[in-house]
């Protein structure tokens, strides 16, 4: 990591944004903060428009119906379900195709968007409320989850974003709340089933208060009971809710709930949302969110004074995320304390795509996985690390170089090292790199040298 101050236009385009497209350094240079502020909006610019994308409800309905028909067909022939080949499972194939389409659409959006700060803001919150498509069912809906729960809410109110994410079918399935049943509910008593703590634990630990904020195991259990009844309908006999998140009162643990000394009335369907709203307003949540934002956008060694500024903004505006973004951008500390961070694989691919006009790098849906970071497939509910240092190894650097060789070979001949230096890096490179890039290297070698330089690999 380098401690020398960086030019403000470089910070705006690369630390706050996703890398420069041609002309963006010129647009950002005269007023970097204003350039970023202009991107804070509830505009439909953030929405991914692709006729090939479907809703979570449609995807889940198709998957569940296909799986049910296949199971019925196998039972009628007496074939063993245990011996079936998962790769031949039509429902799973459909989910894999849906996943590939979502990855393409998301990558294309990031490469082509004129509002790359807003896109990075989307990705921050998508990672904060991470759902991983590690199972066939989830693989098909993780993209729709980000489009439906995250994108529409990133510049709205945190409590709305929290509820949209936590009560979305993808999150309910991912953290097993769709199978969580109150032990004293009608269904729990009849079936002898009980609650699952996963969603409650992760909401407290990863989405709101954070570890060490004062909650105990009893609070996790209480919250888990409040969340019982929130599930995903898999019954085709009820087409009005089939494939959707819904509240089943028969599976909800009855009674009032006391969380961290605060009592929530026995309000059935409203109980869990009321707790989510309460969590969204807590000072510990403000501090946790502020710290995480600063680590991502400014420095892994988050300046305490900047964290305090964001905390105040969060609390004074009742979690207004557009106000929070403005506070982050307008604080002098966001610029004076901004430090280098290595681009993770997805950042690297997107910044290459943005640097090379007319590229169609989104067509390759496997490359981010080859580089160590498959989209929508984070290893745990914690999501991906804030920066890409863990994937800057000799092996992954060689993989980046190998991929870059192919990507550059398909670019127009007029794109050369001088173009990348000025348009993607704003001319902010070392003298040594500039001299080397203008030496007797081939066009391809000079491009690879610039795009594998520390200046390009860091954001």
């Amino acid at each position: 990591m380098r401690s020398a101050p960086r030019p403000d236009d470089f910070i705006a385009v690369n630390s706050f944004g996703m890398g420069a497209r041609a002309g963006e350094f010129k647009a950002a240079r005269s007023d970097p903060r204003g350039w970023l502020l202009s991107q804070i909006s509830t505009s439909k610019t953030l929405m991914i428009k692709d006729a090939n994308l479907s809703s979570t409800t449609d995807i889940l309905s198709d998957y569940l119906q296909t799986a049910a028909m296949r199971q019925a067909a196998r039972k009628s022939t007496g074939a063993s379900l245990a011996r079936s080949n998962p790769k031949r499972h039509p429902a799973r194939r459909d989910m894999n195709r849906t996943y590939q389409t979502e990855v393409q659409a998301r990558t294309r959006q990031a490469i082509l968007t004129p509002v790359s700060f807003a896109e990075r803001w989307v990705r921050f919150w998508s990672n904060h409320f991470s759902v991983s498509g590690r199972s066939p069912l989830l693989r098909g809906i993780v993209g729709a989850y980000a489009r439906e729960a995250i994108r529409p809410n990133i510049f709205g109110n945190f409590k709305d974003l929290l509820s949209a994410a936590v009560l979305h079918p993808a999150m309910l399935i991912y953290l097993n709340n769709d199978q969580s049943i109150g032990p004293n509910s009608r269904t729990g008593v009849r079936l002898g089933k009980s609650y699952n703590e996963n969603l409650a634990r992760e909401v407290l630990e990863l989405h709101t208060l954070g570890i060490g904020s004062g909650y105990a195991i009893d609070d996790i259990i209480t919250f888990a009971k409040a969340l019982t009844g929130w599930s995903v309908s898999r019954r085709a006999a009820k087409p009005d809710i089939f494939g959707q998140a819904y509240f089943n009162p028969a599976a909800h643990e009855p009674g009032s709930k006391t969380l961290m000394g605060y009592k929530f009335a026995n309000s059935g369907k409203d109980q869990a949302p009321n707790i989510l709203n309460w969590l969204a307003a807590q000072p510990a949540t403000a501090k946790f969110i502020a710290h995480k934002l600063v680590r991502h956008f400014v420095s892994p060694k988050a300046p305490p004074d900047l964290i305090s500024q964001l905390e105040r903004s969060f609390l004074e505006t009742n979690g207004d995320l557009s106000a929070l973004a403005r506070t982050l951008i307008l604080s002098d500390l966001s610029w004076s304390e901004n430090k280098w961070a290595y681009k993770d694989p997805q950042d690297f691919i997107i910044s290459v795509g943005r640097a090379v006009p007319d590229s169609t790098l989104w067509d390759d849906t496997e490359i981010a996985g080859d580089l160590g970071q498959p989209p929508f497939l984070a290893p745990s509910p914690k999501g991906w690390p804030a920066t890409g240092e863990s994937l800057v190894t000799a092996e992954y650097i060689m993989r980046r170089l190998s991929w870059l060789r192919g990507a550059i070979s398909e670019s127009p001949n007029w794109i050369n090292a001088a173009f990348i230096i000025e348009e993607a890096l704003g001319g902010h490179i070392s003298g040594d790199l500039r001299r080397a890039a203008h030496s007797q290297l081939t066009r391809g070698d000079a491009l690879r040298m610039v795009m594998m330089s520390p200046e390009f690999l860091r954001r």
Side-chain angles (χ1 to χ4, degrees), residues 104-389:
Q104 284 183 331
R106 182 182 190 237
T107 306
R108 181 173 60 245
Q109 174 83 359
I111 289 175
L112 298 180
T113 183
V115 289
S116 68
F117 164 64
E119 187 66 22
R120 184 175 290 285
W121 193 254
V122 168
R123 285 174 176 251
F124 170 84
W125 290 109
S126 296
N127 196 54
H128 180 77
F129 293 106
S130 180
V131 169
S132 181
R134 295 284 174 175
S135 71
L137 189 154
L138 284 169
R139 184 168 294 228
I141 62 173
V142 285
Y145 159 73
R147 288 187 288 109
E148 296 165 355
I150 308 300
R151 283 185 180 274
N153 294 298
I154 61 154
F155 287 127
N157 194 285
F158 178 74
K159 68 180 178 62
D160 297 328
L161 174 60
L162 176 65
S163 291
V166 171
L167 300 179
H168 189 276
M171 187 71 78
L172 295 174
I173 294 170
Y174 179 48
L175 294 176
N176 309 115
N177 208 80
D178 60 325
Q179 305 296 320
S180 186
I181 297 172
N184 297 306
S185 67
R186 296 196 302 274
T187 302
V189 171
R190 178 168 56 86
L191 300 179
K193 299 277 182 125
S194 191
Y195 57 86
N196 186 295
E197 298 174 7
N198 288 351
L199 182 57
R201 178 181 292 105
E202 305 306 1
V203 169
L204 295 174
E205 177 182 328
L206 302 177
H207 301 158
T208 57
L209 304 177
I211 295 175
S213 55
Y215 67 86
I217 185 62
D218 287 346
D219 296 308
I220 295 174
I221 292 171
T222 295
F223 189 22
K225 290 178 179 179
L227 284 163
T228 55
W230 282 97
S231 187
V232 178
S233 175
R234 304 185 185 218
R235 298 179 62 185
K238 293 188 174 182
D240 56 323
I241 60 170
F242 186 44
Q244 299 178 40
Y246 78 111
F247 180 76
N248 177 10
H252 179 66
E253 180 71 5
S256 62
K257 309 289 189 300
T258 300
L259 183 74
M260 300 178 72
Y262 193 91
K263 188 173 182 178
F264 295 88
N266 180 23
S267 52
K269 182 179 181 179
D270 293 332
Q271 192 172 64
N274 287 342
I275 292 176
L276 289 172
N277 288 343
W278 181 81
L279 289 170
Q282 295 308 297
T285 298
K287 184 173 185 178
F288 180 68
I289 296 298
H291 186 270
K292 197 169 181 179
L293 278 168
V294 173
R295 289 192 73 247
H296 181 86
F297 284 94
V298 180
S299 172
K301 296 181 179 179
D305 289 347
L306 180 55
I307 293 173
S308 296
Q309 290 176 20
L310 292 180
E311 280 184 69
R312 285 196 299 275
S313 173
F314 189 99
L315 293 172
E316 290 172 0
T317 65
N318 296 313
D320 184 329
L321 298 180
S322 60
L324 195 63
R326 283 192 289 271
T327 301
L328 179 67
I329 292 167
L330 291 172
S331 174
D332 290 341
L333 290 172
S334 292
W335 304 82
S336 63
E337 297 296 322
N338 201 283
K339 299 292 187 287
W340 294 102
Y342 280 103
K343 294 174 181 175
D344 62 34
Q346 293 183 45
D347 268 339
F348 177 66
I349 293 165
I350 290 163
S351 61
V352 171
R354 293 180 66 80
V356 179
D358 302 321
S359 70
T360 56
L361 297 181
W362 54 80
D363 287 339
D364 187 346
T365 60
E366 302 292 337
I367 184 57
D370 293 342
L371 299 182
Q373 193 186 37
F376 301 123
L377 296 175
S380 78
K382 291 177 68 175
W384 297 102
T387 60
E389 272 78 0

Side-chain angles (χ1 to χ4, degrees), residues 73-86:
R74 294 191 65 83
K75 283 183 177 179
S76 68
T77 60
S80 171
L81 286 171
R83 294 179 182 177
S84 63
N85 184 348

